Amino acid sequence: MSKIRQAEPLFALTNKIRGSVGGIKHKIMVLSGKGGVGKSFISSMLSLALAERNYRVSIMDADIHGSSIPTLLGLHDARHYADEGGILPVEGPLGVKVVAINLMLDSPDLPVVWRGPLKSRAIIELLAKVKWPEGDFLILDLPPGTGDEAITIVQSIKDLTGAIIVTAPNILSEVIVSKAVNFVVKNNVRLLGIVENMSYFKCPESGREYSILGKSTGEELARKYNTRLLARIPLDPLIATALEEGVPYLLAYPEGEAAKAIRSLAGEVLRILQQ
Ligand SMILES: Nc1ncnc2c1ncn2[C@@H]1O[C@H](COP(=O)(O)OP(=O)(O)OP(=O)(O)O)[C@@H](O)[C@H]1O
Ligand SMILES: [Mg+2]
């Protein structure tokens, strides 16, 4: 008679996480109080910018409903495999190791219909059961807001290095930032700083900068919340072109305005971590 396999209890999985990601030096979560501000774009490109400097980087897509890291890294058709030691990360560009629920589905276009407890469980399972390689960075890309996924991550990775909060210049940004800052502070996570994405558009002909989405408030917000503005990333139409081409923007357009800003963000993160 076949035996029904019992699911591993949650506490047992959570206990495994310290060991499973223990060989990765810095674990950084990227979050925002709001959707669509560029968290996934920044997480994925920051991973590549760190890998360009020869750091060993892993990235986990913790956005179960809106998984976009595989697409941003040109890995839409890749799939996870497992061996007896656990789930194997997908090898991405520049050796970045990628982990995403989407890469376990029969088709990446299938919607995931899990609710809160199941989503938390999925994140814990991934953290515990992936064969995370030794490395320098684990970048965690979160879904919008400070809900189940964000709570699960701060509770299950006890030695998070810090958090990066992403915002964009518009009238809601203050509320967005304050929610995210409060979440980070309340959970005793180190706030590495704020990134203002879609900050401005630089005209390639005149070199003039235009505030398309509204006045940049990044500096002001960083001061108000007693943190630093890590970078202002401009709007770059080549990001959409790279997505259409199915190639990672930073590698396809290394001289793009946003690419330069992402590299400077990587430099800033490294500088802060050395302090
Ligand atoms: N600086 C930029 N210039 C132009 N397009 C951008 C820029 N940053 C991000 N984008 C584009 O904006 C869209 C939203 O970005 P992204 O998916 O990274 O946001 P998000 O905050 O992760 O969204 P969600 O909250 O849904 O997870 C994407 O199509 C992305 O390619
Ligand atoms: Mg996203």
Side-chain angles (χ1 to χ4, degrees):
M1 205 169 50
S2 68
K3 269 198 199 155
I4 296 173
R5 258 185 79 213
Q6 293 270 326
E8 211 168 335
L10 213 50
F11 73 86
L13 283 172
T14 313
N15 284 343
K16 276 188 189 166
I17 293 176
R18 185 182 287 274
S20 65
V21 293
I24 304 177
K25 196 167 169 201
H26 296 297
K27 295 127 189 150
I28 297 177
M29 69 196 292
V30 178
L31 75 161
S32 170
K34 195 180 186 303
V37 291
K39 293 176 292 296
S40 305
F41 170 70
I42 285 164
S43 310
S44 54
M45 297 305 127
L46 175 62
S47 302
L48 293 179
L50 290 166
E52 276 182 344
R53 294 176 184 235
N54 293 323
Y55 287 98
R56 296 161 305 163
V57 186
S58 295
I59 182 165
M60 174 166 155
D61 188 342
D63 189 346
I64 291 166
H65 298 298
S67 171
S68 45
I69 295 296
T71 308
L72 284 156
L73 290 176
L75 296 170
H76 192 72
D77 295 325
R79 284 291 168 277
H80 279 297
Y81 293 95
D83 64 16
E84 56 290 344
I87 302 162
L88 305 172
V90 166
E91 181 88 12
L94 306 181
V96 171
K97 307 289 187 293
V98 185
V99 173
I101 299 260
N102 228 30
L103 298 180
M104 292 178 188
L105 304 176
D106 288 343
S107 156
D109 306 323
L110 289 173
V112 178
V113 289
W114 300 337
R115 287 176 190 270
L118 219 48
K119 286 194 289 184
S120 297
R121 167 111 199 169
I123 288 173
I124 290 171
E125 293 243 4
L126 279 186
L127 287 169
K129 293 190 173 169
V130 164
K131 254 168 101 173
W132 294 101
E134 298 226 320
D136 302 299
F137 287 96
L138 170 59
I139 308 290
L140 297 137
D141 175 41
L142 272 86
T146 47
D148 293 312
E149 295 87 341
I151 294 165
T152 304
I153 283 175
V154 296
Q155 288 179 350
S156 45
I157 307 181
K158 305 278 188 248
D159 60 341
L160 266 178
T161 308
I164 293 174
I165 291 176
V166 182
T167 183
N170 62 50
I171 47 162
L172 284 173
S173 55
E174 176 135 11
V175 184
I176 299 165
V177 174
S178 70
K179 271 194 211 164
V181 171
N182 286 336
F183 176 83
V184 168
V185 172
K186 233 176 79 188
N187 286 287
N188 298 318
V189 177
R190 179 180 176 196
L191 178 55
L192 299 175
I194 294 174
V195 174
E196 186 177 77
N197 189 28
M198 309 180 181
S199 197
Y200 58 93
F201 173 71
K202 188 169 169 186
C203 171
E205 264 118 56
S206 68
R208 255 188 78 183
E209 288 182 10
Y210 295 88
S211 306
I212 308 268
L213 296 189
K215 191 174 143 265
S216 167
T217 51
E219 287 282 6
E220 229 171 279
L221 286 169
R223 229 176 296 122
K224 175 160 180 193
Y225 294 106
N226 204 16
T227 186
R228 55 183 81 72
L229 183 64
L230 295 168
R232 290 175 69 223
I233 317 280
L235 280 159
D236 188 346
L238 290 173
I239 295 170
T241 313
L243 274 172
E244 277 162 29
E245 292 167 344
V247 284
Y249 161 77
L250 195 87
L251 306 183
Y253 301 101
E255 295 306 318
E257 286 302 321
K260 289 187 245 171
I262 293 279
R263 285 200 189 87
S264 118
L265 166 64
E268 194 57 16
V269 169
L270 289 167
R271 196 183 63 76
I272 289 165
L273 294 181
Q274 275 154 17
Q275 282 174 357

